[in-house]
Amino acid sequence: MIPSRSAIVTGASSGIGRAVALELAKAGWRLGLVGRDAGRLAQVAHACGGDVQTLAIDMRDTGAFAEFVAGFGAVDFYVSNHGVLDGRHEGELVENARVADDVLAINLTSAVAALHVVLPGMRLREKGQIVLVSSLAGLSPLPDAPAYSASKAGLVMYGLSLREALRATGVGVSVCCPGYVSSPMQAEHLGHRPHEITPEDAARRIVKGALANKRLFGFPAPLWPEALFSLLVPENVLRWFNSKLRFTVKKD
Ligand SMILES: NC(=O)c1ccc[n+]([C@@H]2O[C@H](COP(=O)([O-])OP(=O)(O)OC[C@H]3O[C@@H](n4cnc5c(N)ncnc54)[C@H](OP(=O)(O)O)[C@@H]3O)[C@@H](O)[C@H]2O)c1
């Protein structure tokens, strides 16, 4: 469904977003890359080569993002990928309120606000593809990071709702739920990370699934169906299943 080749990727300065940017660059896409760290963003742009614009901002600054999008021109593919992992730190039973507030503001509120920046242009042109990078944590509750889980669940439901609302408009919305990916984010995750894959592998799957306009997709195989069914299984079964996946988050 994607004929032309202009994409904006958020969270492009690192990990999965960086790998998505490189994947799209290889295929000749014109790119707009957004992240917070200007230096790392410039390195990614350099590695991409070709036609690349960058913007170093906090995505909670929706006004700055809107200015960038206005200058960028038509967006055919929007990869909403920026996000932070935070949760229970060592010695805590539950994450604190500030952590919960920040995680929701970045991962969910700013992502929704940014969607509404990109959407009017796509609707006007009656074409475009959006992918929201959620997480398996958006389907299976994480006791060690409730706000992270809630933010990703919010993206799942926002994306699926939006997809249906836009069904007849030519604008497609996909939601992707990755499992463990060996990015810098995972260095902060102190716990077992089964079936971890590389950012490059994740990026290939995200781009492929989104450009095929898949509704909801996730990986890797063993964890994806488990996450899908997690709300249906009895609580004690889920607890047993997830007992090896408990973790704390390390923040400097
Ligand atoms: N890694 C995993 O196992 C995993 C699993 C499931 C889902 N995900 C999701 O995949 C996405 C990418 O994560 P990743 O693993 O690639 O992590 P990462 O390497 O830490 O990258 C996160 C990216 O988001 C950007 N970012 C964070 N907060 C931002 C903000 N307030 N404003 C603008 N940009 C911001 C970061 O920018 P700077 O680095 O410049 O600050 C960075 O480019 C996230 O949404 C994450 O929740 C990751």
Side-chain angles (χ1 to χ4, degrees), residues 165-185:
L166 296 173
R167 191 173 52 86
T169 66
V171 179
V173 182
S174 301
V175 180
C176 175
C177 296
Y180 300 101
V181 180
S182 54
S183 70
M185 176 181 280

Side-chain angles (χ1 to χ4, degrees), residues 119-196:
L119 202 48
M122 288 185 173
R123 289 205 54 199
L124 204 63
R125 284 178 287 107
E126 299 182 333
K127 69 173 190 188
Q129 186 69 32
I130 293 168
V131 62
L132 302 182
V133 178
S134 172
S135 166
L136 295 182
L139 300 167
S140 183
L142 295 186
D144 301 313
Y148 182 80
S149 220
S151 70
K152 294 302 183 178
L155 288 181
V156 171
M157 284 304 146
Y158 203 92
L160 298 186
S161 304
L162 196 63
R163 176 184 175 91
E164 189 58 19
L166 296 173
R167 191 173 52 86
T169 66
V171 179
V173 182
S174 301
V175 180
C176 175
C177 296
Y180 300 101
V181 180
S182 54
S183 70
M185 176 181 280
Q186 282 303 338
E188 298 171 336
H189 174 288
L190 304 180
H192 184 43
R193 302 195 294 266
H195 306 289
E196 192 168 59

Side-chain angles (χ1 to χ4, degrees), residues 40-203:
R40 278 191 278 109
L41 208 50
Q43 283 171 12
V44 177
H46 181 73
C48 286
D51 190 352
V52 185
Q53 294 174 46
T54 60
L55 174 69
I57 51 154
D58 188 313
M59 281 298 288
R60 286 171 287 188
D61 185 351
T62 310
F65 181 65
E67 244 178 71
F68 178 73
V69 172
F72 183 79
V75 183
D76 299 299
F77 186 26
Y78 176 58
V79 183
S80 175
N81 165 75
H82 66 281
V84 288
L85 171 69
D86 208 345
R88 181 173 73 94
H89 300 174
E90 202 183 330
E92 292 177 338
L93 180 68
V94 179
E95 68 188 9
N96 67 53
R98 185 196 51 76
V99 162
D101 200 39
D102 283 353
V103 168
L104 288 165
I106 294 171
N107 291 8
L108 183 58
T109 310
S110 83
V112 170
L115 271 182
H116 285 279
V117 169
V118 172
L119 202 48
M122 288 185 173
R123 289 205 54 199
L124 204 63
R125 284 178 287 107
E126 299 182 333
K127 69 173 190 188
Q129 186 69 32
I130 293 168
V131 62
L132 302 182
V133 178
S134 172
S135 166
L136 295 182
L139 300 167
S140 183
L142 295 186
D144 301 313
Y148 182 80
S149 220
S151 70
K152 294 302 183 178
L155 288 181
V156 171
M157 284 304 146
Y158 203 92
L160 298 186
S161 304
L162 196 63
R163 176 184 175 91
E164 189 58 19
L166 296 173
R167 191 173 52 86
T169 66
V171 179
V173 182
S174 301
V175 180
C176 175
C177 296
Y180 300 101
V181 180
S182 54
S183 70
M185 176 181 280
Q186 282 303 338
E188 298 171 336
H189 174 288
L190 304 180
H192 184 43
R193 302 195 294 266
H195 306 289
E196 192 168 59
I197 64 171
T198 63
E200 290 72 25
D201 190 359

